Amino acid sequence: MNYLIIGKMRTTLFLIFILFLSCGPEDECESYKYTLQNKSGVTIKIITYNIEGIIKLDNNQEKSKTYKSCSHNDIPYYSYVNFFASDSIKIIFNSTKKLFFKKKIICEQGGIKENERNLLNECFYNSNKNSKKTFIFTSEDYENAEDCNGNCE
């Protein structure tokens, strides 16, 4: 009878030991702060195709969002696609000009300046250490935007 009790105790202790071995340290959370700055000289509206809808930025105004990723064995990832919760956005400059951005991953050298101005290009704007976390709308963006004759909405 004592052998039976001792056997069960050994089995229970073994299972507890295995349970402790399977519990590792918690994965640490990483925070990503992304910022939009408007230095275009005019008010801009960013129309997202999700619940948030419209983000308005007056000239010299900025908006930041912080995202915390506590992934378990996954690679944490964040980009402006997460910021807007959308894979495409429309930028309206002072109700007179517009730009469209769609999610892209274009990293090659040809046309790098155009690709870099697309804040949804995940090659340039992502959670990697060398990635850009601040996007600045400039007067050059305004000048290069498509004229929509005041009917940009």
Side-chain angles (χ1 to χ4, degrees):
M1 177 105 172
N2 287 339
Y3 293 111
L4 190 58
I5 293 172
I6 292 172
K8 286 184 179 182
M9 285 176 48
R10 283 185 185 168
T11 302
T12 303
L13 288 173
F14 178 74
L15 290 175
I16 291 171
F17 177 73
I18 295 297
L19 180 65
F20 281 120
L21 285 179
S22 66
C23 295
E26 291 289 322
D27 289 340
E28 292 192 26
C29 296
E30 292 188 49
S31 290
Y32 304 104
K33 182 178 180 183
Y34 277 67
T35 302
L36 297 173
Q37 292 180 347
N38 181 8
K39 300 203 182 236
S40 68
V42 298
T43 299
I44 63 171
K45 285 184 190 175
I46 303 167
I47 299 176
T48 65
Y49 300 99
N50 68 13
I51 295 170
E52 195 163 314
I54 297 174
I55 299 170
K56 183 180 174 191
L57 288 173
D58 292 326
N59 191 42
N60 294 318
Q61 187 179 12
E62 70 178 38
K63 179 174 177 117
S64 294
K65 284 188 182 181
T66 301
Y67 172 77
K68 189 175 272 192
S69 175
C70 302
S71 65
H72 299 285
N73 298 325
D74 291 331
I75 298 171
Y77 189 79
Y78 193 71
S79 73
Y80 278 106
V81 172
N82 301 90
F83 184 99
F84 297 113
S86 181
D87 65 354
S88 59
I89 58 174
K90 179 166 54 170
I91 314 299
I92 300 173
F93 295 90
N94 214 29
S95 298
T96 60
K97 292 186 170 193
K98 65 184 176 185
L99 287 174
F100 287 99
F101 291 130
K102 288 185 136 187
K103 178 181 174 181
K104 290 186 179 179
I105 305 173
I106 300 175
C107 305
E108 65 265 3
Q109 295 300 316
I112 206 160
K113 184 171 176 136
E114 296 84 33
N115 294 326
E116 194 171 343
R117 294 310 301 156
N118 179 352
L119 75 160
L120 297 182
N121 187 338
E122 293 187 340
C123 181
F124 298 104
Y125 304 98
N126 60 52
S127 57
N128 295 334
K129 292 189 189 321
N130 296 328
S131 176
K132 297 172 182 162
K133 308 289 190 297
T134 299
F135 186 89
I136 301 170
F137 291 98
T138 65
S139 57
E140 188 176 321
D141 292 323
Y142 173 69
E143 294 301 321
N144 292 333
E146 175 187 341
D147 191 351
C148 56
N149 299 320
N151 189 19
C152 296
E153 305 281 334

